[in-house]
Amino acid sequence: MKQEVTYQGLTFEPYITKEEIAARVQQLAQEIEKDCAGTCPLFLCVLNGAFMFASDLFRAVDMDAEISFIRLQSYEGTGSTGIVKEVIGLTENIEGRTVIIVEDIVDTGNTMVKLVKDLEAKNPASVKIATLLYKPDSVQCDLKLDYVGFPIPSKFIVGYGLDLDGMARNLPDIYVLKKDK
Ligand code: IMP
Ligand code: MG
C-alpha cells in the first residue's frame, strides 16, 4: 500500500486496507445470505462508485441472485451538489422482488432517499441498502441502512471505486484526504 497518493494537488493517506475491506465484505455477504435466503434477490449496483464493492459482494454471496446497474450522480469534486441525477435508469421489472441496493458510500443520504422512493413505486417485495461506507455525521435524512461496511467520520475518501472527479477509483485500498485527518 502506498503511504501517500496525490490527485489534483490533494494528498491522501492510507485509511482502510484491502484486507480489511475483503474481510468485511465476506461478513456482509453472510448476513445477506441469511436474511435473504430463498428470495433470489436483485443486487442493484449504483454506478459508478459501487462497481468494485458490488463485484466483490456479489461474488461472495453463495446463493441464487441477480445483479443489475443504475447510474446516479450527486458529487462534484469533494462536495455533494444536493441534486441527484439519474443518468441510466432501471430496466428490470422489480415487482415482488427483493432488491438490495449496493452503494459505495452514504454521505448526506440524498442519493439513497431518492432511489428508495423511485424503487418503492415499482412495488418490490422489499428494498434493502448495502453500503460499504457510511458517514453518520453527514446524513440529513431518515434512512434505514441494512448492511454497513464501515461507519466513518465526515472526511473525503478515495479508492476502491471511490473517486475525486473520476480519478483514484483503481486504488485497491481506501485513502483519506490528509488535511482532513
Ligand atoms: P449522498 O447523496 O450525499 O449520500 O452522496 C452519495 C454519493 O456521493 C456516493 O454514492 C458517492 O458516489 C459520493 N461520495 C460521498 N462521499 C464521498 C467521498 O468521501 N468520496 C468520494 N465520493 C463520495
Ligand atoms: Mg455512489
Side-chain angles (χ1 to χ4, degrees), residues 49 74-75 80 84 103-112 135 155-158 162-163:
S74 68
Y75 250 63
S80 175
V84 183
E103 176 62 308
D104 52 355
I105 186 164
V106 173
D107 183 16
T108 63
N110 291 328
T111 306
M112 283 303 96
K135 297 180 183 171
K155 294 171 177 170
F156 189 76
I157 57 161
V158 294
L162 290 125
D163 71 309

mmCIF file of all heavy atoms in Angstrom, residues 49 74-75 80 84 103-112 135 155-158 162-163, ligand 1:
data_model
loop_
_atom_site.group_PDB
_atom_site.id
_atom_site.type_symbol
_atom_site.label_atom_id
_atom_site.label_comp_id
_atom_site.label_asym_id
_atom_site.label_seq_id
_atom_site.Cartn_x
_atom_site.Cartn_y
_atom_site.Cartn_z
ATOM 1 N N GLY A 49 -19.451 4.619 -8.454
ATOM 2 C CA GLY A 49 -18.623 4.352 -7.284
ATOM 3 C C GLY A 49 -18.685 2.943 -6.722
ATOM 4 O O GLY A 49 -17.709 2.438 -6.179
ATOM 5 N N SER A 74 -24.254 12.723 -7.768
ATOM 6 C CA SER A 74 -24.608 13.902 -6.979
ATOM 7 C C SER A 74 -23.381 14.692 -6.540
ATOM 8 O O SER A 74 -23.509 15.756 -5.962
ATOM 9 C CB SER A 74 -25.398 13.493 -5.728
ATOM 10 O OG SER A 74 -24.562 12.785 -4.842
ATOM 11 N N TYR A 75 -22.196 14.129 -6.838
ATOM 12 C CA TYR A 75 -20.978 14.771 -6.351
ATOM 13 C C TYR A 75 -20.231 15.494 -7.451
ATOM 14 O O TYR A 75 -20.163 15.031 -8.578
ATOM 15 C CB TYR A 75 -20.021 13.718 -5.761
ATOM 16 C CG TYR A 75 -19.902 13.809 -4.254
ATOM 17 C CD1 TYR A 75 -21.002 13.598 -3.442
ATOM 18 C CD2 TYR A 75 -18.678 14.114 -3.652
ATOM 19 C CE1 TYR A 75 -20.887 13.677 -2.069
ATOM 20 C CE2 TYR A 75 -18.565 14.190 -2.268
ATOM 21 C CZ TYR A 75 -19.672 13.970 -1.487
ATOM 22 O OH TYR A 75 -19.557 14.056 -0.127
ATOM 23 N N SER A 80 -21.000 17.372 -2.128
ATOM 24 C CA SER A 80 -22.276 16.983 -2.712
ATOM 25 C C SER A 80 -22.955 18.214 -3.297
ATOM 26 O O SER A 80 -22.943 19.293 -2.711
ATOM 27 C CB SER A 80 -23.166 16.364 -1.633
ATOM 28 O OG SER A 80 -24.442 16.094 -2.165
ATOM 29 N N VAL A 84 -29.587 14.988 -7.212
ATOM 30 C CA VAL A 84 -29.257 13.643 -7.661
ATOM 31 C C VAL A 84 -29.769 13.456 -9.085
ATOM 32 O O VAL A 84 -30.955 13.584 -9.348
ATOM 33 C CB VAL A 84 -29.894 12.588 -6.732
ATOM 34 C CG1 VAL A 84 -29.469 11.194 -7.165
ATOM 35 C CG2 VAL A 84 -29.501 12.848 -5.282
ATOM 36 N N GLU A 103 -24.310 0.327 -2.660
ATOM 37 C CA GLU A 103 -23.794 1.699 -2.759
ATOM 38 C C GLU A 103 -22.384 1.741 -2.194
ATOM 39 O O GLU A 103 -22.042 0.955 -1.300
ATOM 40 C CB GLU A 103 -24.768 2.606 -1.987
ATOM 41 C CG GLU A 103 -24.406 4.057 -1.871
ATOM 42 C CD GLU A 103 -24.325 4.792 -3.187
ATOM 43 O OE1 GLU A 103 -23.611 4.311 -4.092
ATOM 44 O OE2 GLU A 103 -24.929 5.863 -3.316
ATOM 45 N N ASP A 104 -21.556 2.643 -2.709
ATOM 46 C CA ASP A 104 -20.210 2.773 -2.166
ATOM 47 C C ASP A 104 -20.219 3.499 -0.823
ATOM 48 O O ASP A 104 -19.626 3.055 0.142
ATOM 49 C CB ASP A 104 -19.260 3.480 -3.162
ATOM 50 C CG ASP A 104 -19.804 4.800 -3.677
ATOM 51 O OD1 ASP A 104 -20.957 5.154 -3.365
ATOM 52 O OD2 ASP A 104 -19.072 5.488 -4.410
ATOM 53 N N ILE A 105 -20.938 4.627 -0.779
ATOM 54 C CA ILE A 105 -20.893 5.437 0.443
ATOM 55 C C ILE A 105 -22.170 6.247 0.587
ATOM 56 O O ILE A 105 -22.690 6.769 -0.396
ATOM 57 C CB ILE A 105 -19.638 6.359 0.422
ATOM 58 C CG1 ILE A 105 -19.463 7.120 1.727
ATOM 59 C CG2 ILE A 105 -19.629 7.308 -0.760
ATOM 60 C CD1 ILE A 105 -18.064 7.709 1.895
ATOM 61 N N VAL A 106 -22.699 6.291 1.803
ATOM 62 C CA VAL A 106 -23.842 7.152 2.093
ATOM 63 C C VAL A 106 -23.312 8.349 2.863
ATOM 64 O O VAL A 106 -22.753 8.209 3.946
ATOM 65 C CB VAL A 106 -24.934 6.409 2.891
ATOM 66 C CG1 VAL A 106 -26.028 7.377 3.324
ATOM 67 C CG2 VAL A 106 -25.523 5.275 2.061
ATOM 68 N N ASP A 107 -23.468 9.512 2.242
ATOM 69 C CA ASP A 107 -22.937 10.754 2.811
ATOM 70 C C ASP A 107 -24.114 11.574 3.347
ATOM 71 O O ASP A 107 -24.525 11.388 4.485
ATOM 72 C CB ASP A 107 -22.149 11.475 1.709
ATOM 73 C CG ASP A 107 -21.481 12.741 2.178
ATOM 74 O OD1 ASP A 107 -21.351 12.936 3.398
ATOM 75 O OD2 ASP A 107 -21.062 13.548 1.328
ATOM 76 N N THR A 108 -24.728 12.440 2.538
ATOM 77 C CA THR A 108 -25.915 13.173 3.001
ATOM 78 C C THR A 108 -27.135 12.252 3.059
ATOM 79 O O THR A 108 -28.088 12.525 3.782
ATOM 80 C CB THR A 108 -26.257 14.342 2.053
ATOM 81 O OG1 THR A 108 -26.582 13.809 0.763
ATOM 82 C CG2 THR A 108 -25.103 15.313 1.930
ATOM 83 N N GLY A 109 -27.105 11.197 2.253
ATOM 84 C CA GLY A 109 -28.248 10.285 2.189
ATOM 85 C C GLY A 109 -29.222 10.649 1.072
ATOM 86 O O GLY A 109 -30.149 9.891 0.776
ATOM 87 N N ASN A 110 -29.010 11.776 0.409
ATOM 88 C CA ASN A 110 -29.929 12.228 -0.653
ATOM 89 C C ASN A 110 -30.078 11.207 -1.774
ATOM 90 O O ASN A 110 -31.177 10.957 -2.262
ATOM 91 C CB ASN A 110 -29.434 13.547 -1.279
ATOM 92 C CG ASN A 110 -29.548 14.702 -0.308
ATOM 93 O OD1 ASN A 110 -30.442 14.727 0.520
ATOM 94 N ND2 ASN A 110 -28.633 15.654 -0.403
ATOM 95 N N THR A 111 -28.959 10.625 -2.182
ATOM 96 C CA THR A 111 -28.986 9.666 -3.283
ATOM 97 C C THR A 111 -29.870 8.471 -2.926
ATOM 98 O O THR A 111 -30.721 8.051 -3.716
ATOM 99 C CB THR A 111 -27.556 9.164 -3.599
ATOM 100 O OG1 THR A 111 -26.722 10.295 -3.831
ATOM 101 C CG2 THR A 111 -27.537 8.267 -4.806
ATOM 102 N N MET A 112 -29.685 7.927 -1.729
ATOM 103 C CA MET A 112 -30.436 6.741 -1.326
ATOM 104 C C MET A 112 -31.918 7.045 -1.116
ATOM 105 O O MET A 112 -32.771 6.239 -1.483
ATOM 106 C CB MET A 112 -29.851 6.151 -0.037
ATOM 107 C CG MET A 112 -28.593 5.370 -0.245
ATOM 108 S SD MET A 112 -28.789 4.015 -1.439
ATOM 109 C CE MET A 112 -28.187 4.795 -2.914
ATOM 110 N N LYS A 135 -21.280 7.836 6.418
ATOM 111 C CA LYS A 135 -20.843 8.979 7.225
ATOM 112 C C LYS A 135 -22.011 9.436 8.091
ATOM 113 O O LYS A 135 -22.793 10.292 7.681
ATOM 114 C CB LYS A 135 -20.405 10.127 6.303
ATOM 115 C CG LYS A 135 -19.201 9.824 5.415
ATOM 116 C CD LYS A 135 -18.860 11.033 4.537
ATOM 117 C CE LYS A 135 -17.721 10.768 3.596
ATOM 118 N NZ LYS A 135 -17.536 11.863 2.607
ATOM 119 N N LYS A 155 -15.176 12.710 6.362
ATOM 120 C CA LYS A 155 -13.955 13.114 5.674
ATOM 121 C C LYS A 155 -14.032 12.612 4.245
ATOM 122 O O LYS A 155 -14.721 11.626 3.984
ATOM 123 C CB LYS A 155 -12.744 12.492 6.362
ATOM 124 C CG LYS A 155 -12.547 13.024 7.766
ATOM 125 C CD LYS A 155 -11.496 12.231 8.492
ATOM 126 C CE LYS A 155 -11.270 12.825 9.881
ATOM 127 N NZ LYS A 155 -10.432 11.971 10.710
ATOM 128 N N PHE A 156 -13.311 13.270 3.345
ATOM 129 C CA PHE A 156 -13.364 12.859 1.945
ATOM 130 C C PHE A 156 -12.381 11.725 1.703
ATOM 131 O O PHE A 156 -11.210 11.805 2.048
ATOM 132 C CB PHE A 156 -13.065 14.039 1.016
ATOM 133 C CG PHE A 156 -13.337 13.684 -0.417
ATOM 134 C CD1 PHE A 156 -14.633 13.616 -0.895
ATOM 135 C CD2 PHE A 156 -12.289 13.376 -1.278
ATOM 136 C CE1 PHE A 156 -14.897 13.257 -2.205
ATOM 137 C CE2 PHE A 156 -12.542 13.015 -2.597
ATOM 138 C CZ PHE A 156 -13.844 12.957 -3.060
ATOM 139 N N ILE A 157 -12.869 10.652 1.108
ATOM 140 C CA ILE A 157 -12.027 9.488 0.865
ATOM 141 C C ILE A 157 -12.047 9.083 -0.612
ATOM 142 O O ILE A 157 -12.973 9.437 -1.343
ATOM 143 C CB ILE A 157 -12.465 8.292 1.733
ATOM 144 C CG1 ILE A 157 -13.933 7.968 1.461
ATOM 145 C CG2 ILE A 157 -12.271 8.555 3.211
ATOM 146 C CD1 ILE A 157 -14.270 6.604 1.901
ATOM 147 N N VAL A 158 -11.029 8.360 -1.023
ATOM 148 C CA VAL A 158 -10.949 7.836 -2.399
ATOM 149 C C VAL A 158 -10.413 6.403 -2.378
ATOM 150 O O VAL A 158 -9.864 5.947 -1.379
ATOM 151 C CB VAL A 158 -10.004 8.694 -3.300
ATOM 152 C CG1 VAL A 158 -10.559 10.087 -3.518
ATOM 153 C CG2 VAL A 158 -8.579 8.744 -2.745
ATOM 154 N N LEU A 162 -14.153 4.592 -5.234
ATOM 155 C CA LEU A 162 -14.495 5.991 -4.919
ATOM 156 C C LEU A 162 -13.505 6.937 -5.586
ATOM 157 O O LEU A 162 -12.294 6.683 -5.604
ATOM 158 C CB LEU A 162 -14.493 6.206 -3.405
ATOM 159 C CG LEU A 162 -15.654 5.509 -2.718
ATOM 160 C CD1 LEU A 162 -15.169 4.591 -1.637
ATOM 161 C CD2 LEU A 162 -16.617 6.535 -2.171
ATOM 162 N N ASP A 163 -14.021 8.061 -6.084
ATOM 163 C CA ASP A 163 -13.200 8.925 -6.923
ATOM 164 C C ASP A 163 -13.117 10.358 -6.441
ATOM 165 O O ASP A 163 -13.917 10.823 -5.627
ATOM 166 C CB ASP A 163 -13.785 8.957 -8.332
ATOM 167 C CG ASP A 163 -15.100 9.731 -8.368
ATOM 168 O OD1 ASP A 163 -15.983 9.428 -7.541
ATOM 169 O OD2 ASP A 163 -15.228 10.648 -9.192
HETATM 170 P P1 IMP B 1 -25.101 11.387 -0.847
HETATM 171 O O1 IMP B 1 -26.255 11.523 -1.787
HETATM 172 O O2 IMP B 1 -24.684 12.708 -0.263
HETATM 173 O O3 IMP B 1 -25.327 10.355 0.248
HETATM 174 O O4 IMP B 1 -23.827 11.016 -1.695
HETATM 175 C C1 IMP B 1 -23.585 9.781 -2.088
HETATM 176 C C2 IMP B 1 -22.619 9.728 -3.243
HETATM 177 O O5 IMP B 1 -21.636 10.766 -3.233
HETATM 178 C C3 IMP B 1 -21.858 8.449 -3.110
HETATM 179 O O6 IMP B 1 -22.523 7.415 -3.762
HETATM 180 C C4 IMP B 1 -20.516 8.778 -3.673
HETATM 181 O O7 IMP B 1 -20.508 8.454 -5.048
HETATM 182 C C5 IMP B 1 -20.331 10.247 -3.455
HETATM 183 N N1 IMP B 1 -19.472 10.493 -2.248
HETATM 184 C C6 IMP B 1 -19.875 10.802 -0.994
HETATM 185 N N2 IMP B 1 -18.841 10.938 -0.145
HETATM 186 C C7 IMP B 1 -17.727 10.671 -0.883
HETATM 187 C C8 IMP B 1 -16.309 10.602 -0.555
HETATM 188 O O8 IMP B 1 -15.850 10.811 0.580
HETATM 189 N N3 IMP B 1 -15.502 10.279 -1.599
HETATM 190 C C9 IMP B 1 -15.939 10.036 -2.869
HETATM 191 N N4 IMP B 1 -17.242 10.071 -3.204
HETATM 192 C C10 IMP B 1 -18.136 10.390 -2.220
#
